[in-house]
Amino acid sequence: MSLTSNRKDSVAVVGVGTTKWGAMPEHDATSLGIWALREAAEDAGIRLQDIDGLICQRLTDYQKFVQVTNITPKLVTATPGAGRMTGGTIQLAVQAILSGLLDTVAVVYGNDGRSAGAKYGGKGDSYGTGADQMWFPYGMTSPGAVHSMLFQRHAHLYHSTIEQLGTVSLTFRQHATLNPEAVMRKPITMDDYLASRFICEPLRLLDYCLINDGGVALILTAGDRAKDLKQKPVYVRGIAQQSRLAQGELPEDFGYAAMQRASKTVHEMAEVGRDDVDALMIYDNFTPIVLFALEGFGYAPRGEGGAFVQSGALALGGRYPTNTNGGHLSESYMQGWNLQAEAVRQLRGGLGARQVPGAETVQYLQGGPLCTSIIYGTEAA
Amino acid sequence: MNTLEYKKPLPPITEQSRPFWQATRERRLQLPRCDHCGTFHTYFEPWCSQCGGEGVHWETLSGRGRIWANCRFHKHYFPGFDGPYNVAMVELEEGPRIMTNIVGTAHGTLDEIPIGMAVQAVFEDVNDTVTLVKFQPVEAPQP
């Protein structure tokens, strides 16, 4: 037996589990992850004991996790609780299966941010290097403020408008009205958007994601095994990441160069181009990053992400329906994980009014600073 | 200024950053500069992110720059702030970019501090040991 003797040639998501979203003070993050994993195992038609790899994100108590689930993985690990880590966490699972190290991997996310009062700004915010010395004395803090500044820069260079951001918010809210699980389902108008209060100007409340409690679990296995399981497999056709942390917190180019590298790799792996993609899932912690991601991953020319959004391309019925569950802005901020769940469900079909008809390929885009993309498909690459 | 009344965050001055804060007391903006490739750092470590070299020296900058990005906080995350306030990233004439507040405008609104506006460093004593470097429009009257 060599290090590569068990190599596999494809990986599929065979189980997806989600909790409810909202305020659930009776659960901590670990408990929410366990809930999600139980749902995912039921969905996949496997026993928890069949799981031989466990990768936790954000939920911190992996020991309690394995004790309560009574699983005995060959590999347990945990990644930090930042949304930027989501793509890399899934990459670990994919590579562990491809290499033959593991057969059936659960990637599990649990987040009790709402009940625990998670703050994304102020003391303890580590978004800026040395922020306590160079940012906090000026009152600078929070990922939202960083995106606010980046949008100002984008507007300065490319004449992007607030109404374009509003269109992102309205589009995803419209999708959420079709999703019974979404936290925010009330339709909004541009007037509502423009009347919402500033958090960090020019960004408003409706430019910000929704911090909630919840959990998501995905179960992945090799393609040859996936065929025998309960659900129609959804294949991970390509997955790539390119970080751009080295250039600082406010990147000169909105992360374009890094996104372009990740984009090239993911399409080469997946052997599908943007023309083949039926729907997008875009990491939307704040509205401006949707514009940056569309441009960085080549869906819109540089500087024209806002116009692309205004064309209706991201709406259901448009060319690239995006965040059909409502995304982080209107379903729930699950740090990329609910977008993975939605991608898988779109490819399985049967989502009713929010189903993208005939969806065969869905691409996940995450802008900086760990630019990541995943291409899921109904067929293996 | 009464130290007891100053509630905003104060920088935790470290051995590595002490020269920065000593210079601001003297009304100078000074940054560490790589001994090897000359890149200015806006972090306080001895290693250069550009050339990988080790070792820095301190150089005084002109204090002139332009607004590179801006925003205005309406939500407060720290004590001591009263009402909306701006934060800007200023690109210094010598190249590096630093976070700051823009002072010396009528209302502190974003339209008063557009990206590209020329600004000049001013120094604000906030207590007996800390002086912050802020910026004001160059055309503004001197205080």
Side-chain angles (χ1 to χ4, degrees), chain B residues 19-84:
Chain B
F20 177 87
W21 299 107
Q22 282 174 342
T24 60
R25 295 298 287 176
E26 299 161 9
R27 265 81 189 133
R28 286 187 298 115
L29 173 59
Q30 129 174 311
L31 286 174
R33 190 170 199 185
C34 175
D35 288 338
H36 305 275
C37 73
T39 299
F40 281 105
H41 296 179
T42 53
Y43 57 91
F44 303 115
E45 298 288 345
W47 305 290
C48 182
S49 65
Q50 295 305 303
C51 76
E54 179 172 357
V56 294
H57 59 282
W58 290 82
E59 281 191 23
T60 299
L61 289 86
S62 66
R64 290 187 295 271
R66 289 184 182 276
I67 295 177
W68 192 84
N70 57 23
C71 66
R72 190 163 181 247
F73 282 78
H74 292 248
K75 177 180 168 70
H76 294 173
Y77 298 87
F78 297 109
F81 290 91
D82 184 24

Side-chain angles (χ1 to χ4, degrees), chain A residues 121-123 132-141 145 148-149 152-153 156 198-201 250-252, chain B residues 9 12 14 17 21 68 70-75 77-78 81 85 87 89 97 99-101 110 115 132-133:
Chain A
K123 197 178 167 186
D132 54 349
Q133 287 202 50
M134 300 303 276
W135 285 21
F136 296 171
Y138 302 101
M140 176 61 190
T141 183
S148 185
M149 282 198 175
Q152 287 289 85
R153 193 80 210 138
H156 172 73
F198 283 126
I199 305 295
C200 185
E201 191 180 346
L250 295 187
E252 180 84 42
Chain B
T14 63
S17 69
W21 299 107
W68 192 84
N70 57 23
C71 66
R72 190 163 181 247
F73 282 78
H74 292 248
K75 177 180 168 70
Y77 298 87
F78 297 109
F81 290 91
Y85 63 93
V87 173
M89 180 163 259
R97 298 196 284 257
M99 285 294 180
T100 189
N101 302 127
L110 289 178
I115 290 174
L132 297 179
V133 55

Side-chain angles (χ1 to χ4, degrees), chain A residues 328-350:
Chain A
H328 297 139
L329 290 169
S330 280
E331 188 188 41
S332 184
Y333 181 46
M334 290 292 124
Q335 298 188 289
W337 292 98
N338 54 329
L339 298 176
Q340 313 307 323
E342 181 71 2
V344 172
R345 288 168 174 162
Q346 279 288 355
L347 291 170
R348 287 179 178 176

Side-chain angles (χ1 to χ4, degrees), chain A residues 165-342:
Chain A
L165 298 183
T167 304
V168 172
S169 188
L170 265 58
T171 302
F172 297 170
R173 177 61 62 88
Q174 173 57 30
H175 295 168
T177 66
L178 306 173
N179 173 10
E181 299 301 321
V183 171
M184 288 294 180
R185 302 189 62 207
K186 182 171 169 257
I188 49 174
T189 64
M190 189 60 80
D191 286 344
D192 295 331
Y193 169 80
L194 293 171
S196 74
R197 69 177 188 272
F198 283 126
I199 305 295
C200 185
E201 191 180 346
L203 299 190
R204 296 169 160 82
L205 182 66
L206 292 175
D207 292 303
Y208 278 61
C209 60
L210 307 169
I211 295 170
N212 277 294
D213 304 332
V216 179
L218 303 177
I219 296 172
L220 297 94
T221 193
D224 55 357
R225 178 153 187 261
K227 291 187 184 72
D228 301 327
L229 293 173
K230 187 171 151 189
Q231 303 290 346
K232 185 170 92 172
V234 169
Y235 295 90
V236 178
R237 294 184 60 117
I239 181 164
Q241 180 175 101
Q242 177 61 53
S243 75
R244 62 114 189 97
L245 286 158
Q247 283 131 41
E249 302 83 14
L250 295 187
E252 180 84 42
D253 69 345
F254 310 96
Y256 292 145
M259 284 187 267
Q260 281 163 10
R261 284 195 291 275
S263 175
K264 183 169 184 293
T265 306
V266 78
H267 285 293
E268 282 174 2
M269 276 185 185
E271 298 174 355
V272 293
R274 286 182 282 274
D275 287 348
D276 302 308
V277 170
D278 300 304
L280 294 172
M281 300 294 151
I282 306 182
Y283 193 97
D284 56 334
N285 44 351
F286 309 96
T287 52
I289 201 161
V290 173
L291 275 52
F292 308 156
L294 287 167
E295 295 168 19
F297 286 99
Y299 282 91
R302 185 169 296 198
E304 296 179 28
F308 188 75
V309 171
Q310 277 184 316
S311 77
L314 306 195
L316 278 161
R319 175 60 189 88
Y320 294 107
T322 299
N323 295 5
T324 48
N325 56 354
H328 297 139
L329 290 169
S330 280
E331 188 188 41
S332 184
Y333 181 46
M334 290 292 124
Q335 298 188 289
W337 292 98
N338 54 329
L339 298 176
Q340 313 307 323
E342 181 71 2

Side-chain angles (χ1 to χ4, degrees), chain A residues 56-125:
Chain A
C56 302
Q57 199 207 358
R58 187 159 177 137
L59 68 89
T60 50
D61 195 345
Y62 61 83
Q63 179 161 310
K64 172 177 157 186
F65 196 99
V66 295
Q67 285 169 343
V68 172
T69 56
N70 197 29
I71 59 175
T72 53
K74 290 189 225 168
L75 182 128
V76 176
T77 192
T79 60
R84 60 179 71 166
M85 290 288 172
T86 298
T89 304
I90 297 170
Q91 257 180 325
L92 292 178
V94 169
Q95 294 302 330
I97 293 165
L98 285 177
S99 71
L101 173 69
L102 301 173
D103 287 324
T104 305
V105 181
V107 285
V108 185
Y109 168 82
N111 176 0
D112 59 1
R114 180 160 169 188
S115 293
K119 296 272 189 292
Y120 292 87
K123 197 178 167 186
D125 171 28

